[in-house]
Amino acid sequence: MDAHNATFYPREATILAAACACIFSVVGVVGNLITTVALLMHPKLRGHVTTMFVLSLCVSDLLFCSINLPLTANRFIRQQWGLGEKLCQMFAFVFYGNEAVSLLSMVAITINRYTLIAYYDMYTQIYTSTKIWIQLLLIWVVSFGLMVPPLLGVWGQLGFDPKTFSCTILPKNSKSPKKYLFVFGFALPCLVIIVSYSCIYWRVRESKRKLEGRRCVCGKLSGQTAKEKEEDSRLTTLMLTIFLCFLACFLPLMIMNVADDGITYPWLHIIASILAWASSVINPLIYAATNRQYRAAYGNLLKFCKNNPVARRTTWGSRTVGQSSNSPQYGEKEKRNHHKEPARL
């Protein structure tokens, strides 16, 4: 390694990065694997539209945690790559491809939620089984397709960077797509997520105001205003949580790669990378564990592990999982069930 071109990371920083990569790898593999298995083992949830995109996100994060993070820990511990040029190129290809899949899957989830609220009458036409699989295929093809030009050396190249002892996107003939991929790959998904959730919030808020107006006319508003304000507050908190977690994980890395390409501040690059890795761990918590139906799926998975085969089949068929409002058939099934079961408080 050329001493004049190398970036000397403090040993404490590389040890911290390696430790975080190991921890995130274990926690991420366990969390994403449990989420994937829990959703796949329950047909009622498996058939929901949003669940399909959540599974795409989980699989992407699972691949990242099981392939990229262990190799990342290895290079930070050794402060070199040492695993060959071809594996280095494939590491960068899978690393950036998986990051893109994760981002686009989150975009698909937000668009799906907005469509469910704003265009419910057209929801079943937009999200048919065939169209869902087409969207999932496009997410993966586009994400990894963006990495084909540098992989083939057409626009930039994938290889070893001695300055950071990392496998990444390198310039070729003084041309590199790295900054363009970072800027547009982050800015556009972030913009779509912000716009989608903002539209969801204002749509729900507008509907609640109309409902409040009708209750005022009928003189039945008593006791409802405080509850509606509380629901608005919870919705706002949820939106802020999603925005802050998304931005906290990816924005520092985007800023450092664009603003400090020469690695003037090694510690900041290490911290930004650790935050980006953390996204593969917290995604199951944000998009799955916070949802009541998904928590029920986790509970039923535990029952499956403990019960005998007969009890397992009974657990699968129980109403503890229920129907998610993300399912196009949700409204019709609820109406049919309403005549079969007494109302529950």
Side-chain angles (χ1 to χ4, degrees), residues 101-141:
V101 170
S102 181
L103 287 170
L104 292 182
S105 295
M106 286 189 279
V107 170
I109 291 172
T110 60
I111 293 177
N112 170 262
R113 290 175 177 179
Y114 173 71
T115 305
L116 178 67
I117 293 176
Y119 303 100
Y120 185 79
D121 293 339
M122 301 173 57
Y123 188 80
T124 55
Q125 300 176 14
I126 297 175
Y127 286 96
T128 63
S129 179
T130 301
K131 292 179 181 178
I132 293 170
W133 282 108
I134 291 176
Q135 291 181 52
L136 291 171
L137 181 63
L138 285 175
I139 288 173
W140 286 80
V141 170

Side-chain angles (χ1 to χ4, degrees), residues 188-249:
L188 289 181
C190 183
L191 179 62
V192 172
I193 289 173
I194 292 175
V195 171
S196 297
Y197 277 119
S198 298
C199 291
I200 290 172
Y201 172 74
W202 288 111
R203 196 83 180 212
V204 172
R205 189 178 182 86
E206 182 181 358
S207 298
K208 289 183 179 297
R209 284 179 176 176
K210 291 180 179 179
L211 180 60
E212 182 178 343
R214 295 193 191 101
R215 287 172 177 168
C216 285
V217 173
C218 298
K220 298 180 180 179
L221 183 59
S222 178
Q224 297 295 322
T225 304
K227 182 178 179 181
E228 290 174 359
K229 286 184 178 180
E230 183 180 356
E231 291 176 354
D232 282 339
S233 177
R234 289 179 180 177
L235 182 60
T236 303
T237 302
L238 176 60
M239 301 307 166
L240 286 176
T241 301
I242 294 173
F243 293 156
L244 292 176
C245 289
F246 180 79
L247 294 176
C249 288

Side-chain angles (χ1 to χ4, degrees), residues 214-342:
R214 295 193 191 101
R215 287 172 177 168
C216 285
V217 173
C218 298
K220 298 180 180 179
L221 183 59
S222 178
Q224 297 295 322
T225 304
K227 182 178 179 181
E228 290 174 359
K229 286 184 178 180
E230 183 180 356
E231 291 176 354
D232 282 339
S233 177
R234 289 179 180 177
L235 182 60
T236 303
T237 302
L238 176 60
M239 301 307 166
L240 286 176
T241 301
I242 294 173
F243 293 156
L244 292 176
C245 289
F246 180 79
L247 294 176
C249 288
F250 288 99
L251 187 57
L253 182 62
M254 302 302 109
I255 293 175
M256 294 307 300
N257 278 282
V258 173
D260 187 30
D261 193 38
I263 321 293
T264 307
Y265 305 99
W267 261 107
L268 294 181
H269 279 268
I270 293 292
I271 295 173
S273 296
I274 291 174
L275 288 174
W277 304 339
S279 67
S280 61
V281 177
I282 67 174
N283 280 338
L285 176 64
I286 298 174
Y287 291 98
T290 56
N291 183 281
R292 178 178 58 84
Q293 303 295 341
Y294 287 84
R295 287 198 298 269
Y298 291 137
N300 285 336
L301 178 61
L302 291 176
K303 293 179 183 179
F304 170 82
C305 295
K306 294 180 180 180
N307 296 345
N308 56 50
V310 175
R312 292 171 191 169
R313 288 195 294 270
T314 303
T315 300
W316 292 357
S318 68
R319 285 180 54 85
T320 55
V321 176
Q323 284 292 323
S324 169
S325 58
N326 291 319
S327 173
Q329 293 81 24
Y330 172 76
E332 296 178 3
K333 291 187 177 182
E334 284 298 311
K335 290 179 181 179
R336 290 198 298 267
N337 291 335
H338 177 73
H339 297 288
K340 296 179 180 179
E341 298 183 7

Side-chain angles (χ1 to χ4, degrees), residues 12 54 76 79 99 104 131 158 162 164 168 176 268 289 333:
E12 295 83 357
V54 172
F76 272 109
Q79 292 188 311
E99 287 297 313
L104 292 182
K131 292 179 181 178
L158 301 180
T164 59
T168 184
S176 173
L268 294 181
K333 291 187 177 182

